[in-house]
């Protein structure tokens, strides 16, 4: 199996903005899934802390993730709308092949 570039992002929204972030993230995900090099893009909302979101993205390689961060939809939805509504944001990249062996 080939190596992929996996990104796990944790977004902590300002409490008053959490529902708006929850509305915007699926739009960002839908656009991101259309990118060349994107394999998957999933979002989960913490059940106990509803202002915390975990995003798991899988790309063919690190260059595909770089292209994602430079895309027009990431600029307009992510940078201009979502990120200003966050208290914190952690993004970690990993190399993996999808197996645990």
């Amino acid at each position: 199996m080939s190596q992929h570039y996996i990104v796990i992002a944790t977004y902590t929204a300002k409490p008053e903005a959490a529902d708006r972030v929850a509305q915007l993230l699926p739009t960002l995900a839908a656009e991101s899934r259309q990118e060349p090099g994107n394999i998957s893009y999933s979002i989960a909302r913490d059940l106990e802390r509803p202002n915390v979101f975990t995003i798991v993205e899988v790309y063919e390689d690190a260059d595909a993730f770089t292209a994602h961060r430079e895309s027009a939809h990431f600029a307009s939805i992510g940078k201009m709308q979502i990120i200003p509504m966050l208290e914190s944001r952690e993004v970690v990249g990993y190399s993996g092949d999808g197996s645990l062996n």
Side-chain angles (χ1 to χ4, degrees), residues 69-87:
R69 294 188 99 171
E70 295 172 353
S71 68
H73 59 268
F74 185 76
S76 66
I77 301 167
K79 290 180 184 175
M80 295 177 71
Q81 295 182 65
I82 295 173
I83 291 172
M85 291 189 283
L86 302 180
E87 287 181 347

Side-chain angles (χ1 to χ4, degrees), residues 20-33 41 43 82:
R20 182 65 182 140
V21 170
Q23 291 173 340
L24 290 168
L25 280 172
T27 303
L28 179 60
E31 293 286 333
S32 299
R33 289 182 191 116
Y41 194 109
I43 305 160
I82 295 173

